């Protein structure tokens, strides 16, 4: 039960993957000589701990600063057939540049090939076009495949569900990295589309983007009892066989420990999860109202359809989480990314409501009258200093 077939790649992948964006020295490239010995020792201890536990998938990206070059000091020490290595490269207009960036990744990793190459951040129409158009980045990836430098090709995405489904339905990719966990289930249709095409499904950052569950609020701890929020979320995700692996963004060797507890419950998920799910739903209804809980996201406009590009669905979602589960720190962090997250977290905050007429864009919502007030409430509760994406910090 610890391993699942990663779709049509036929790779047997552990249900937990070792994500590579938390243990590196810096988010920017630095000369090899500037990487401190203690940073490198911690990374190597983390990787060794993962492999000892049977976690055979090591995942990183060219955009993760020193992650690749630090991994390049340790990965060649393992028997190559015993580890699955993934890196990711952002699609760009110039496909030759994409190839050059990948070659740098391979050099950094000190490997002859990677098992998985992800086109990193197919988040909007432009990045999808850069990927799949004739002569685009996907064709370069396929050529790298023919050269033996890449085994399988996938993509990672923070995009809308419709865009993800569009990319999946090209049937040009072997796997997908996407967001899906208890507090954000919007991409389930994309997961079922991936299953239809027999693609591997990798869940991005379920503990951090899934609610900063490494420092959960007391209320959420009580609602998830007898499990910790982190173990509950892992079990929720893995109880769906369509999900193959969860990325654990380990920063230290001990960061695997809490996640491992979920494995002992996996064959009892149908018994353990329903009472917790009922508690979570009942609390949401008690604090937000049943009609709102069941219909708040009906017929909401996208940020592109909204004056000022206010991201109404995301703002209301974050407000719900803050009120129902006390996920205030998480909601603040995500809210203050709006306006600064580019296509990785698009749209704007609700800080200019008095200048905007939202009524036409909300005409089809059953809650059109109350949404402007809720947006103002969200801004009052969550606004703070701007937050930059990790790779920009």
């Amino acid at each position: 039960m610890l391993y699942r077939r990663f779709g049509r790649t036929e790779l047997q992948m552990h249900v937990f993957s070792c994500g590579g964006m938390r243990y590196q020295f810096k988010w920017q490239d630095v000369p090899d000589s500037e990487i401190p010995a203690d940073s490198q020792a911690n990374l190597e201890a983390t990787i060794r701990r993962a492999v000892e536990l049977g976690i055979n998938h090591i995942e990183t990206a060219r955009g993760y600063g020193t992650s690749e070059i630090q991994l390049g000091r340790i990965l060649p020490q393992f028997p190559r057939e015993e580890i699955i290595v993934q890196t990711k490269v952002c699609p760009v207009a110039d496909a030759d540049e994409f190839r050059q960036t990948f070659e740098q990744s391979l050099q950094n990793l000190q490997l002859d090939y990677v098992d998985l190459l992800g086109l990193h951040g197919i988040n909007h129409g432009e990045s999808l076009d850069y990927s799949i158009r004739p002569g685009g980045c996907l064709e370069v990836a396929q050529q790298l495949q023919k050269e033996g430098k890449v085994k399988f090709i996938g993509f990672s995405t923070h995009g809308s569900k419709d865009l993800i489904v569009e990319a999946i339905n090209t049937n040009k990719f072997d796997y997908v990295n996407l967001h899906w966990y208890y507090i954000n289930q919007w991409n389930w249709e994309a997961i079922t589309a991936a299953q239809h095409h027999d693609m591997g499904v990798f869940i991005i950052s379920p503990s951090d983007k899934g609610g900063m569950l490494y420092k959960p609020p007391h209320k959420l701890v009580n609602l998830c009892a007898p499990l910790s929020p982190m173990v509950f979320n892992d079990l929720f995700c893995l109880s769906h066989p369509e999900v193959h692996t969860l990325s654990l963004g380990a920063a230290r060797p001990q960061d695997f420990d809490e996640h491992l507890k979920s494995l002992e419950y996996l064959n009892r998920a149908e018994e353990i999860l329903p009472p917790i799910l009922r508690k979570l739903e009942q609390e949401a209804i008690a604090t937000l109202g049943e009609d709102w809980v069941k219909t708040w996201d009906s017929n909401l406009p996208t940020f592109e359809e909204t004056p000022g590009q206010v991201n109404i669905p995301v703002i209301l979602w974050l407000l719900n989480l803050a009120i129902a589960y006390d996920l205030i720190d998480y909601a603040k962090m995500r809210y203050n990314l709006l306006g600064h997250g580019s296509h990785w977290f698009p749209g704007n905050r609700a800080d200019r409501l008095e200048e905007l007429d939202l009524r036409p864009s909300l005409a089809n919502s059953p809650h059109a009258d109350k949404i402007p007030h809720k947006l103002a409430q969200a801004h009052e509760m969550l606004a703070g200093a701007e937050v930059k994406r990790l790779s920009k910090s």
Side-chain angles (χ1 to χ4, degrees):
M1 293 182 66
L2 299 180
Y3 296 85
R4 291 183 176 175
R5 173 182 172 271
F6 196 54
R8 64 200 195 195
T9 72
E10 299 291 350
L11 294 169
Q12 290 297 311
M13 188 175 289
H14 197 282
V15 295
F16 293 133
S17 291
C18 184
M21 64 181 294
R22 298 278 170 191
Y23 46 48
Q24 76 272 40
F25 170 54
K26 278 195 175 180
W27 277 98
Q28 297 79 33
D29 287 333
V30 301
D32 199 3
S33 59
E34 292 184 15
I35 297 171
D38 59 348
S39 171
Q40 185 62 29
N42 175 70
L43 180 145
E44 294 192 11
T46 303
I47 298 300
R48 291 192 187 281
R49 176 63 175 153
V51 174
E52 286 170 6
L53 294 169
I55 296 174
N56 60 344
H57 178 208
I58 313 298
E59 181 259 3
T60 185
R62 182 72 290 272
Y64 294 173
T66 61
S67 178
E68 286 180 333
I69 199 165
Q70 290 186 258
L71 286 170
R73 297 184 184 179
I74 178 70
L75 294 185
Q77 297 178 32
F78 296 101
R80 186 63 186 86
E81 67 280 3
E82 293 182 9
I83 55 172
I84 299 167
V85 179
Q86 175 181 186
T87 197
K88 307 186 295 294
V89 175
C90 293
V92 290
D94 183 350
D96 289 337
E97 179 185 336
F98 176 87
R99 182 182 182 108
Q100 290 168 10
T101 304
F102 170 78
E103 296 285 4
Q104 182 63 56
S105 288
L106 203 59
Q107 180 180 330
N108 289 345
L109 292 165
Q110 298 190 41
L111 298 175
D112 295 327
Y113 68 92
V114 292
D115 303 271
L116 303 170
L117 171 60
L119 276 65
H120 190 29
I122 297 184
N123 299 335
H124 56 357
E126 184 178 62
S127 50
L128 179 59
D129 179 60
Y130 289 164
S131 300
I132 64 173
R133 67 189 183 189
C137 298
L138 179 60
E139 285 192 9
V140 170
Q142 291 167 338
Q143 181 58 40
L144 292 165
Q145 220 175 9
K146 292 175 183 175
E147 295 170 15
K149 296 178 179 179
V150 169
K151 285 194 172 182
F152 303 103
I153 301 166
F155 71 97
S156 70
T157 178
H158 294 223
S160 69
K161 181 239 331 173
D162 290 345
L163 180 90
I164 301 170
V165 170
E166 181 182 355
I168 287 170
N169 284 339
T170 65
N171 200 27
K172 295 178 182 292
F173 298 98
D174 300 311
Y175 69 94
V176 59
N177 300 0
L178 79 175
H179 294 275
W180 186 82
Y181 20 77
Y182 178 72
I183 65 168
N184 179 354
Q185 299 177 44
W186 294 336
N187 286 335
W188 181 249
E189 183 183 334
I191 290 177
T192 59
Q195 182 188 34
H196 175 74
H197 290 287
D198 197 22
M199 292 170 61
V201 173
F202 170 109
I203 303 301
I204 301 169
S205 193
S207 295
D208 184 55
K209 305 305 187 295
M212 291 165 55
L213 301 179
Y214 39 81
K215 53 176 184 179
H218 185 67
K219 183 177 187 180
L220 190 63
V221 171
N222 288 337
L223 288 169
C224 292
L227 306 180
S228 71
M230 187 179 288
V231 169
F232 158 73
N233 194 49
D234 287 348
L235 191 61
F236 173 81
C237 293
L238 293 175
S239 68
H240 295 79
E242 299 89 346
V243 169
H244 301 134
T245 189
L246 312 181
S247 177
L248 310 186
R252 306 164 299 167
Q254 59 266 42
D255 285 351
F256 300 106
D257 295 350
E258 185 67 17
H259 293 283
L260 293 172
K261 296 176 183 177
S262 63
L263 298 180
E264 64 185 273
Y265 301 115
L266 199 48
N267 60 358
R268 296 169 48 218
E270 291 182 2
E271 164 197 342
I272 294 169
L273 286 175
I276 300 173
L277 293 168
R278 281 195 296 271
K279 283 192 292 180
L280 289 163
E281 182 179 16
Q282 287 166 1
E283 184 59 26
I285 289 171
T287 52
L288 298 168
E290 185 169 11
D291 183 48
W292 178 261
V293 167
K294 294 187 175 178
T295 62
W296 70 269
D297 56 351
S298 297
N299 299 320
L300 290 177
T302 65
F303 75 91
E304 297 100 329
E305 299 167 335
T306 305
Q309 294 201 331
V310 178
N311 198 329
I312 293 175
V314 163
I315 296 170
L316 295 179
W317 167 64
L318 293 173
L319 179 66
N320 292 344
L321 295 176
I323 293 172
Y325 305 134
D326 284 357
L327 283 167
I328 296 169
D329 288 345
Y330 172 79
K332 284 182 174 180
M333 183 271 291
R334 302 302 285 171
Y335 181 75
N336 291 295
L337 269 173
L338 290 170
H340 310 285
S342 68
H343 58 87
W344 295 89
F345 200 69
N348 291 318
R349 304 190 307 173
D351 54 356
R352 295 173 47 225
L353 295 179
E354 68 282 354
E355 304 171 22
L356 305 171
D357 182 4
L358 300 180
R359 288 173 298 179
S361 59
L362 291 171
N364 296 320
S365 166
H367 304 288
D369 292 341
K370 66 174 69 170
I371 284 176
H373 168 73
K374 285 189 172 286
L375 294 173
Q377 181 187 7
H379 186 69
E380 182 178 357
M381 178 184 290
L382 305 177
E386 87 173 54
V387 176
K388 296 181 180 179
R389 286 180 52 233
L390 284 173
S391 60
K392 302 298 182 185
S393 54

